[in-house]
Amino acid sequence: MALEIPVVTPLRVDDHSRDIAGLTYVYPVVSRRAGGVSLGINLNPNNACNWRCVYCQVPDLQRGSAPDTHVEQLEHELNLMLHDIVQGDFMQRAVPEGARRLNDIAFSGNGEPTTSAQFLACIEVVERAIARFALREQIKTVLITNGSQMDKASVQAGLQKMATINGEVWFKIDRAPQDGFEFVNQIKLNREQVARRLATAAALCPTWVQTCMFAVDGVLPDSAEVEAYLAFLAEQIAQGVVLQGVLLYGLARPSLQAEAPRLTAAPLAWMQQLVARIEGLGLVVKLSA
């Protein structure tokens, strides 16, 4: 396939459109958490996820798994975008001044990326691209995940490979996992299962806990919810799970789910108080309120 430079309109921190470059799998965004350009990989172009988080910004979200990934097409698209970013004028053409650095290649997109049967092959695509463009020491490879597929051998192999290319896992834990239905993620959770999968991820690749906090019907998480969340983190630390820290964030863009009218951002002061509580456990916290 010949390299054809995609036409990309100027990127904005509040617009993470997956089709902004006209590609199927690869899309560039300006990430407030990354502090630069994040090159996203969307293995769920069918807008299907096995969870349905109430704050999710994916339009027409449906329950399901990723479709088969056309690995050769993914590799072509990734090489195309990296060529434009590393060797072309992409940064000047499409990125606001002050954010003109490539921070990472991130498996995120419109659903849970590890539900792709080709997940390991996709990690290998990134590994080859990083070598081709000499980016091994310059950028991270990030997996943003709900952790639900961590028991699969192919996913574990993918994480092991990620660890060799400056990889890290962002493992979603929005509230303390309790046995039963979880409103925030619209899924039935098993506490022991979540703890085991988090420990698995952390043992294979540097892992951050990723947490979204917000108010529902004007009510912030109460003290019992906050204490349960902190207790779960403390329990993992006591069990010897090595965590890089917590990525704590609020509502940056409007939810596109039915619950959207019920959700509002948590006040900055409340978020900062939670940061202090988490740091009290000995964890690093990065806040994006």
Side-chain angles (χ1 to χ4, degrees), residues 199-211:
T200 296
L204 296 171
C205 187
T207 297
W208 293 77
V209 167
Q210 179 182 251
T211 299

Side-chain angles (χ1 to χ4, degrees), residues 9-239:
T9 56
L11 303 180
R12 304 196 316 268
V13 71
D14 61 345
D15 183 2
H16 286 195
S17 301
R18 312 311 193 206
D19 60 354
I20 196 165
L23 305 175
T24 299
Y25 297 114
V26 179
Y27 61 99
V29 299
V30 174
S31 170
R32 62 184 179 137
R33 278 178 282 174
V37 174
S38 177
L39 196 53
I41 295 180
N42 179 20
L43 301 185
N44 302 74
N46 59 346
N47 292 5
C49 187
N50 58 347
W51 288 20
R52 191 186 69 77
C53 301
V54 295
Y55 55 81
C56 184
Q57 294 108 19
V58 174
D60 303 316
L61 183 68
Q62 58 183 305
R63 296 278 191 177
S65 300
D68 284 341
T69 303
H70 299 291
V71 178
E72 289 185 2
Q73 181 181 348
L74 167 62
E75 187 150 21
H76 170 70
E77 292 183 6
L78 184 57
N79 286 334
L80 186 153
M81 281 303 312
L82 285 175
H83 179 271
D84 195 19
I85 291 170
V86 175
Q87 300 171 356
D89 65 349
F90 174 85
M91 291 295 188
Q92 289 69 36
R93 193 176 78 244
V95 180
E97 190 173 356
R100 290 172 180 167
R101 56 180 290 272
L102 179 61
N103 185 78
D104 59 62
I105 297 173
F107 285 87
S108 177
N110 290 2
E112 174 52 42
T114 59
T115 60
S116 169
Q118 292 77 34
F119 176 71
L120 175 56
C122 295
I123 296 293
E124 292 169 343
V125 164
V126 172
E127 181 183 36
R128 289 192 294 271
I130 286 174
R132 177 178 182 180
F133 290 94
L135 294 170
R136 184 178 295 271
E137 305 302 324
Q138 299 179 42
I139 68 171
K140 293 183 177 294
T141 301
V142 177
L143 168 64
I144 302 175
T145 179
N146 60 33
S148 61
Q149 309 299 302
M150 283 298 156
D151 296 328
K152 292 183 177 179
S154 61
V155 174
Q156 293 178 14
L159 265 60
Q160 287 178 309
K161 191 167 289 291
M162 280 181 57
T164 70
I165 52 174
N166 199 23
E168 59 185 37
V169 176
W170 296 3
F171 193 112
K172 183 188 299 296
I173 298 178
D174 292 318
R175 303 293 181 270
Q178 307 293 338
D179 294 341
F181 182 74
E182 170 53 53
F183 168 78
V184 172
N185 307 124
Q186 295 287 295
I187 192 74
K188 289 184 178 179
L189 292 179
N190 176 285
R191 184 182 178 91
E192 184 279 330
Q193 206 173 54
V194 174
R196 183 184 72 246
R197 290 169 175 169
L198 177 62
T200 296
L204 296 171
C205 187
T207 297
W208 293 77
V209 167
Q210 179 182 251
T211 299
C212 184
M213 288 289 183
F214 50 88
V216 180
D217 298 328
V219 180
L220 291 163
D222 62 26
S223 59
E225 286 181 285
V226 172
E227 293 296 338
Y229 170 80
L230 294 169
F232 180 78
L233 293 179
E235 180 183 315
Q236 308 321 303
I237 296 169
Q239 293 293 326

Side-chain angles (χ1 to χ4, degrees), residues 50 88 129 168 177 181 188 206 241 245 247 249 259 268 276:
N50 58 347
E168 59 185 37
F181 182 74
K188 289 184 178 179
V241 178
L247 303 173
Y249 68 109
E259 294 83 1
L268 178 59

Side-chain angles (χ1 to χ4, degrees), residues 275-288:
V275 167
R277 299 288 305 278
I278 299 170
E279 289 177 338
L281 301 175
L283 292 172
V284 173
V285 183
K286 296 182 180 181
L287 173 63
S288 299

Side-chain angles (χ1 to χ4, degrees), residues 232-263:
F232 180 78
L233 293 179
E235 180 183 315
Q236 308 321 303
I237 296 169
Q239 293 293 326
V241 178
V242 178
L243 298 173
Q244 303 304 299
V246 174
L247 303 173
L248 179 63
Y249 68 109
L251 298 178
R253 300 179 303 280
S255 166
L256 293 180
Q257 308 313 307
E259 294 83 1
R262 302 177 59 190
L263 312 182

